[in-house]
Amino acid sequence: MSKALNLKTAEIEKISHLDYFNIAISVDCVIFGYDDKDLKVLLIKSDLEEFEGLYSLLGDLVRPDEDLETASYRILKERTGLDDVYLEQVQAFGSLDRHPSGRVITIAYYSLIDIRNHKLKLENNELHWHSVKTIKKLAFDHKMILDTCLMRLQQQVMENPVVFNLLPEKFSLRELQELYEAILGYELDRRNFRKKISIKDWLTDINEMETDVPHRPGKLYKLKAEHRKRSGVRRNTVTRVVSV
Amino acid sequence: MSKALNLKTAEIEKISHLDYFNIAISVDCVIFGYDDKDLKVLLIKSDLEEFEGLYSLLGDLVRPDEDLETASYRILKERTGLDDVYLEQVQAFGSLDRHPSGRVITIAYYSLIDIRNHKLKLENNELHWHSVKTIKKLAFDHKMILDTCLMRLQQQVMENPVVFNLLPEKFSLRELQELYEAILGYELDRRNFRKKISIKDWLTDINEMETDVPHRPGKLYKLKAEHRKRSGVRRNTVTRVVSV
DNA sequence: AATTTAATGTGTTATAAGTACATATTACGT
DNA sequence: ACGTAATATGTACTTATAACACATTAAATT
């Protein structure tokens, strides 16, 4: 891989090899979580002077020997310890000035994880969950990336059973509705919401009830196994590379 | 930009600078056209031995001093002579083995152009329009990229007034419906189609009729000016860079 | 033990959107 | 003048969305 790529036009060859490899490529993960009726995102304090005091998404350069999904899974694994996560590519961001130290094109992924039932190794990593709706500014173009990923999540939410990755295995319909409301940013009618969900036929009633709620407990449900796909990408080939 | 990026983890620094810049980044354009009731895509014969006899999408490496949209517009301009085109990013493709000569991550864009009313400088470029539905195999992973872009186009088509970029300025409802059918791959009911389009309120009746049709001519319509956005990206900043 | 509280669970009606389907009309070609 | 092939248009049926209220249950309070 040290010789020039013999790509397409002759024109390319005029320009030296190094010029073309002076672009770095990174992956940035918008890691969504859900807790306390609130959509969260996992952020780290930026270590760049230019962005002193600002937070940024979790990202890293892509290594020459790993593909994009592998890089994303590696970041998730390194930062959170998790390797069983939902992950989906959203968009590439490549403005010239998006990174102060040089040319870095980044591919954004969003990821959904259940905060409560996975103990993350957060503290030692300087990682923290931030409420999405209170975030005003981030390092780099990460606010734009976050917004784009949130929009994508909002689009997906009613068509695909993806949000269950944010919930524990068993949940009540109220919890599910609150999650939808947190993602969409507006309130839903309870009866219409339940009807819609029941038409989709995603859930099974497991004949258990909520406990420890200070009111009448609701029924608990599980996502049906056939809809449980933890990743938008082919995970069996990918996570092995990451987690071994 | 020749010194290392001071990015995130200490771990990165263990790996030499050159390793990280040994990934090239390209842009590939799926250029859709429409003619003869058929969705077409613009392809070029691959100049790589590995893909002898196969066609590939139009693409090129991204230059360190241009952003992704600029690179896409440059490719379109260089290859077709057009700079007033609809262009939208779809997805990044980054498998390790997708390019036989080395590691190249590519960002796929799709583009919509009106074949008939723009004279393209095709012949001297070895470019040809191919009917999308007859394409079985392409060089690299370009078949996958084409399929992904087509799916994206199909998704967009009913929600956004994008397909008008494939048609001449004035068109009949029949032409429009045939275009939708070509993109979606199935037939539509004429009355329902017209109702749906009229509800969207995208068109103005310009009080002209088709000419040179061997049957009763239909009315001609134009896309209303407020829906005429030739690009999914901010073009006023972008095309200037390309076309000046 | 009785009462209050706060949530669960459920159904109907009205409106809008989607689907299936048929007939009269018009310009061209012969 | 006539046949042809496409345009133009509307209605009934079905499905989805939206708005809306009341009885029930278990926990917490008195």
Side-chain angles (χ1 to χ4, degrees), chain B residues 26-172:
Chain B
S26 67
V27 158
D28 281 297
C29 296
V30 175
I31 304 173
F32 289 114
Y34 174 67
D35 194 20
D36 194 25
K37 304 188 185 181
D38 201 27
L39 189 67
K40 316 270 193 200
V41 62
L42 199 53
L43 300 177
I44 189 168
K45 220 163 209 153
S46 175
D47 54 1
L48 292 192
E49 281 178 29
E50 289 89 341
F51 298 125
E52 178 118 36
L54 291 179
Y55 286 88
S56 72
L57 299 170
L58 271 63
D60 198 359
L61 295 178
V62 175
R63 297 179 181 168
D65 62 346
E66 66 184 358
D67 66 29
L68 298 169
E69 282 78 26
T70 307
S72 310
Y73 280 115
R74 175 172 56 79
I75 289 163
L76 282 163
K77 177 74 176 170
E78 285 172 3
R79 300 308 192 128
T80 69
L82 300 180
D83 57 9
D84 183 26
V85 290
Y86 183 86
L87 193 63
E88 176 161 321
Q89 194 195 116
V90 175
Q91 217 193 290
F93 292 83
S95 313
L96 290 177
D97 58 354
R98 59 173 299 283
H99 198 298
S101 334
R103 184 73 200 281
V104 185
I105 290 170
T106 197
I107 319 284
Y109 280 76
Y110 84 76
S111 171
L112 304 175
I113 73 184
D114 170 17
I115 295 185
R116 282 183 258 180
N117 288 35
H118 295 281
K119 305 272 158 52
L120 309 188
K121 40 170 192 176
L122 298 183
E123 295 72 18
N124 44 351
N125 251 328
E126 298 229 5
L127 294 181
H128 302 281
W129 290 105
H130 295 248
S131 170
V132 168
K133 66 186 174 206
T134 63
I135 294 169
K136 298 281 177 282
K137 200 176 173 198
L138 293 174
F140 309 97
D141 52 358
H142 287 186
K143 180 63 162 75
M144 184 163 69
I145 294 177
L146 171 60
D147 291 343
T148 306
C149 288
L150 178 57
M151 281 173 51
R152 182 73 139 254
L153 176 60
Q154 289 171 339
Q155 283 165 18
Q156 304 239 317
V157 118
M158 273 306 180
E159 282 135 46
N160 297 103
V162 294
V163 295
F164 302 96
N165 294 293
L166 291 163
L167 288 177
E169 196 187 5
K170 304 171 180 183
F171 50 85
S172 68

Side-chain angles (χ1 to χ4, degrees), chain A residues 106-118:
Chain A
T106 197
I107 319 285
Y109 281 76
Y110 83 78
S111 172
L112 303 176
I113 74 184
D114 170 17
I115 294 184
R116 282 183 258 179
N117 288 34
H118 295 283

